[in-house]
Amino acid sequence: MSNTTLQSLENWVKKVAQLTAPEQIVWCTGSESEKKELDDLLLSTGDYIKLNEETHPNCFLHLSDPQDVARVEHLTFICTEEKEDAGPNNHWMNPQKAHVKIDELFEGCMQGRTMYVIPYCMGPIDSPISRCGVEITDSAYVVQNMRLMTRMGTPALKRIESEGHFVKGLHSTGELDPDRRYIMHFPEELTIKSYGSGYGGNALLGKKCHALRIGSYQAKTEGWLAEHMLILGLENPQGETHYIAAAFPSACGKTNLAMLIPPEGYVKDGWKITTIGDDICWMRSGEDGRLWAINPEAGFFGVAPGTAQDTNPNALAMLYQDTIFTNVGLTDDNQPWWEGLDDRVPVQDWKGNPYNPENGPAAHPNSRFTVASKRCPSYSPKAEDAKGVPISAIVFGGRRESLVPLVTQARNWAHGVLMGATVASETTAAATGAVGVVRHDPMAMKPFCGYHFADYWSHWLSFDKKGANLPEVFTVNWFRKDEDGKFMWPGFGDNMRVLEWIVKRVAGRVDAQPSALGDMPKIEDFNLDGLDGFDNEDLTRLLAVNTAGWEDELNNTIEYLQSFGKRVPQELYEELKITQSKLE
Ligand code: GTP
Ligand code: SPV
Ligand code: MN
């Protein structure tokens, strides 16, 4: 009996089985009994540690190989026929060579293992914006994560069969040897091959590999946008909701902003934030000229450290049930624990060793939780809406301890695209390599754009056409530090104050203070009520433009843009010149 009516899928699975030689093949349906069986299997193999059933029912801890705890950008390749199409922003390999290289690793790699076939849909099953894929993997842990992160199983398979096409993703954990590890993308073949890692973005192929790298390539070809953005709904006391999409690099605050709970005074006045997504946003122009967005994911793969009652209570509330924790510490009564959670002292660290602060943190800095979106108290029913939500504002940001002001509004769309293209941010533990180094991360897509950045910027600019009713664009920075290395802006829930100004600007309810970088809040329009230890003077400092510093930054930006060669749209240079002349 065949497993699917789609011959191309059946054939591909057969071909992969011939290459990888699994002991058995399981087609995932997404059923509850299948979930239970795999949980039991993972417990029996030691890949899962059962957490305290009273405090954390149906929650599990997985500890990765210590050499496999983050994305590996130096082993991630975009394999297009022409090298130039991948651009200087990507590592490139000739597709024929890449297939040979990685297929050698896949050969016989599933002997004695089970091969899981996971049909999945990125986005609501009935949305025209959604796209489907099939991931083949030999990791039951990956299956359980995909179960939470995507709409997987029979409904997805049905959609794939009726559409007749899908993104092919082949994954094996292999030997977890960093020297035998590659994450390869073949955008022109809508294919992904990932070998040698079981972690996050390297292994859950629907996420960064499909929804961003392959997705951005498809988006460019078909006229839409696949972005590394959260989506939130902001309801004001008048009952109007504005949807905001915001791009911050990995581990720079998307999950936190997406689930923000406003300060007390705001809640009293009737302000409310709802969550559509925390990591990825697919947008396209609607008939009304606006950009309409969906969250292609169905779950959160969020950073654990720093998640606490006073920073992100909505996130914490969803983590007491049906959650997979990866690489966090354990308390003496088997509860998950990470730095910043509370003042209990854990007994076990993320390597499974007895906790000793001299060996470093209990939780790995990139330790994560995986949980279904519907468990989030602020999750919006609009996230399930097939047509998506209309975006009023796009926000770009990064982690910058100096120079970049709290908030700036772009003069127009082209200036907004420049703002996005010139974001630089301090690196974090979300990828292997040095942490805290400032690097350019345009639109927070440096590790995720599946093609040449210059073409990507042209694509962004192309949305400014007749009939378009585009979002306003802003830049923010929550991470300025003072001389003592302390964050100057309280951040977290208080970021609401910046969002309020943003939606008031969108609605034309408030004036702005022009600056060389763009429009900024007038001090008197910015709500600081109830904010202890932060006054107008502090705000003035956070909105100041350091002319000399910005002259350097812009010179550096020009050099950066020039490194992308002739394909860079001239409009970006023109906008940059305008900013430079305003600085003088
Ligand atoms: P990815 O899942 O890697 O894409 O990360 P993300 O962009 O969703 O980042 P997340 O919200 O998980 O935040 C990463 C880290 O930044 C956490 O340790 C947070 O506690 C911290 N953080 C988030 N928002 C703020 C803020 O407003 N101020 C400060 N100081 N830290 C923040
Ligand atoms: C990121 O690094 O931006 C993440 C985590 O969201 S991962 O899924 O590993 O890419
Ligand atoms: Mn991310």
Side-chain angles (χ1 to χ4, degrees):
M1 203 189 78
S2 62
N3 297 283
T4 167
T5 57
L6 187 61
Q7 201 56 48
S8 60
L9 173 55
E10 187 82 37
N11 292 348
W12 174 60
V13 172
K14 250 188 219 150
K15 217 174 107 191
V16 169
Q18 272 162 13
L19 174 67
T20 59
E23 190 175 283
Q24 56 164 339
I25 302 175
V26 171
W27 287 67
C28 297
T29 64
S31 73
E32 264 311 302
S33 59
E34 174 184 276
K35 177 195 180 294
K36 176 82 177 57
E37 269 169 45
L38 289 183
D39 284 343
D40 291 343
L41 175 74
L42 286 159
L43 284 168
S44 73
T45 54
D47 287 296
Y48 264 179
I49 297 164
K50 179 103 189 68
L51 294 173
N52 189 319
E53 185 59 34
E54 310 232 300
T55 59
H56 291 77
N58 199 25
C59 291
F60 303 95
L61 168 63
H62 172 77
L63 302 182
S64 308
D65 184 284
Q67 302 227 63
D68 183 33
V69 293
R71 286 184 292 99
V72 282
E73 294 179 5
H74 62 297
L75 301 173
T76 299
F77 288 81
I78 299 294
C79 310
T80 43
E81 283 296 335
E82 300 296 327
K83 180 173 183 183
E84 185 65 8
D85 291 337
N89 43 308
N90 282 303
H91 299 296
W92 175 85
M93 206 182 287
N94 167 283
Q96 286 76 36
K97 277 200 186 133
H99 280 301
V100 169
K101 204 174 181 83
I102 201 160
D103 285 355
E104 269 174 19
L105 300 179
F106 276 114
E107 206 177 321
C109 74
M110 295 190 193
Q111 279 170 44
R113 300 186 189 184
T114 301
M115 178 173 119
Y116 300 94
V117 181
I118 316 169
Y120 63 85
C121 180
M122 300 310 289
I125 289 276
D126 60 345
S127 171
I129 311 178
S130 301
R131 291 301 164 95
C132 294
V134 177
E135 173 164 2
I136 296 179
T137 179
D138 56 7
S139 163
Y141 164 78
V142 165
V143 178
Q144 300 302 63
N145 276 274
M146 288 292 283
R147 189 185 305 286
L148 292 166
M149 296 302 298
T150 70
R151 282 105 173 151
M152 62 86 92
T154 306
L157 180 60
K158 287 222 175 89
R159 175 162 169 163
I160 290 168
E161 286 170 342
S162 73
E163 287 182 331
H165 55 83
F166 58 96
V167 170
K168 295 186 179 76
L170 171 55
H171 168 255
S172 171
T173 51
E175 307 81 16
L176 296 177
D177 177 353
D179 293 327
R180 287 166 59 82
R181 182 176 292 166
Y182 286 108
I183 323 295
M184 289 176 168
H185 304 74
F186 305 86
E188 291 144 348
E189 303 168 37
L190 302 183
T191 295
I192 305 153
K193 292 185 177 180
S194 165
Y195 188 90
S197 166
Y199 198 81
N202 299 333
L204 313 178
L205 302 187
K207 197 172 180 51
K208 297 304 164 56
C209 299
H210 177 165
L212 289 180
R213 297 198 190 94
I214 300 286
S216 61
Y217 175 87
Q218 282 186 297
K220 157 82 177 155
T221 321
E222 300 167 2
W224 48 284
L225 289 166
E227 299 299 324
H228 191 202
M229 291 177 175
L230 69 94
I231 309 165
L232 63 80
L234 204 175
E235 196 181 317
N236 66 14
Q238 294 82 50
E240 305 157 338
T241 301
H242 282 286
Y243 294 94
I244 300 179
F248 304 101
S250 301
C252 290
K254 289 182 299 302
T255 302
N256 278 267
L257 192 67
M259 296 171 195
L260 180 154
I261 294 183
E264 228 175 76
Y266 277 89
V267 175
K268 240 186 242 152
D269 290 348
W271 292 88
K272 192 178 153 194
I273 289 208
T274 55
T275 308
I276 306 285
D278 83 325
D279 199 53
I280 301 178
C281 166
W282 283 357
M283 285 182 278
R284 57 177 69 212
S285 309
E287 278 164 17
D288 58 359
R290 290 193 289 180
L291 289 180
W292 288 74
I294 62 161
N295 168 17
E297 300 191 283
F300 307 117
F301 183 63
V303 175
T307 306
Q309 191 53 37
D310 59 342
T311 56
N312 193 353
N314 272 329
L316 197 61
M318 63 185 177
L319 304 182
Y320 289 99
Q321 200 186 308
D322 305 312
T323 303
I324 305 169
F325 294 89
T326 302
N327 299 337
V328 301
L330 267 186
T331 62
D332 58 0
D333 62 345
N334 258 16
Q335 295 192 45
W337 192 90
W338 49 84
E339 276 66 22
L341 175 60
D342 54 33
D343 49 18
R344 285 174 298 167
V345 178
V347 297
Q348 179 182 302
D349 70 14
W350 66 274
K351 291 182 177 165
N353 296 327
Y355 174 62
N356 176 352
E358 281 171 24
N359 299 337
H364 186 276
N366 191 37
S367 56
R368 302 239 168 197
F369 52 78
T370 318
V371 65
S373 308
K374 59 179 188 296
R375 286 209 39 81
C376 180
S378 56
Y379 189 55
S380 167
K382 283 280 180 192
E384 305 290 335
D385 195 328
K387 67 179 192 300
V389 294
I391 299 297
S392 300
I394 286 177
V395 177
F396 294 114
R399 192 181 274 272
R400 291 296 293 273
E401 63 174 34
S402 61
L403 203 64
V404 180
L406 182 63
V407 58
T408 316
Q409 181 179 9
R411 300 183 287 264
N412 53 46
W413 183 254
H415 182 219
V417 174
L418 176 72
M419 275 184 169
T422 56
V423 166
S425 186
E426 294 147 22
T427 52
T428 66
T432 58
V435 168
V437 182
V438 177
R439 72 162 179 185
H440 288 278
D441 196 345
M443 283 82 171
M445 285 286 278
K446 166 70 187 75
F448 308 121
C449 183
Y451 62 101
H452 198 301
F453 256 153
D455 296 341
Y456 172 73
W457 299 324
S458 299
H459 183 49
W460 264 84
L461 289 168
S462 75
F463 283 81
D464 190 4
K465 53 178 186 263
K466 210 168 153 255
N469 181 4
L470 293 168
E472 291 292 320
V473 181
F474 301 80
T475 295
V476 301
N477 177 24
W478 315 142
F479 297 96
R480 276 281 273 278
K481 287 184 176 167
D482 62 18
E483 307 74 35
D484 304 326
K486 270 186 45 211
F487 289 115
M488 292 164 72
W489 173 245
F492 301 103
D494 287 308
N495 293 331
M496 175 67 211
R497 300 170 191 278
V498 175
L499 296 182
E500 180 195 0
W501 185 74
I502 287 175
V503 293
K504 284 191 165 156
R505 286 294 294 162
V506 166
R509 294 201 179 117
V510 72
D511 280 343
Q513 180 73 45
S515 87
L517 304 178
D519 290 333
M520 291 192 186
K522 290 183 167 167
I523 301 293
E524 64 271 24
D525 291 334
F526 198 89
N527 184 357
L528 292 177
D529 290 354
L531 197 51
D532 286 344
F534 190 95
D535 56 21
N536 284 348
E537 229 169 89
D538 297 313
L539 183 63
T540 307
R541 274 203 288 165
L542 281 186
L543 294 173
V545 177
N546 171 342
T547 307
W550 273 100
E551 274 166 357
D552 284 350
E553 178 90 0
L554 293 184
N555 286 334
N556 176 280
T557 295
I558 293 177
E559 253 174 59
Y560 178 68
L561 293 181
Q562 282 170 344
S563 74
F564 289 90
K566 290 198 294 288
R567 293 195 190 196
V568 177
Q570 209 50 44
E571 246 177 301
L572 291 189
Y573 290 114
E574 283 158 19
E575 282 301 329
L576 217 147
K577 262 194 220 127
I578 296 174
T579 304
Q580 273 180 321
S581 69
K582 285 178 187 281
L583 261 181
E584 278 161 14

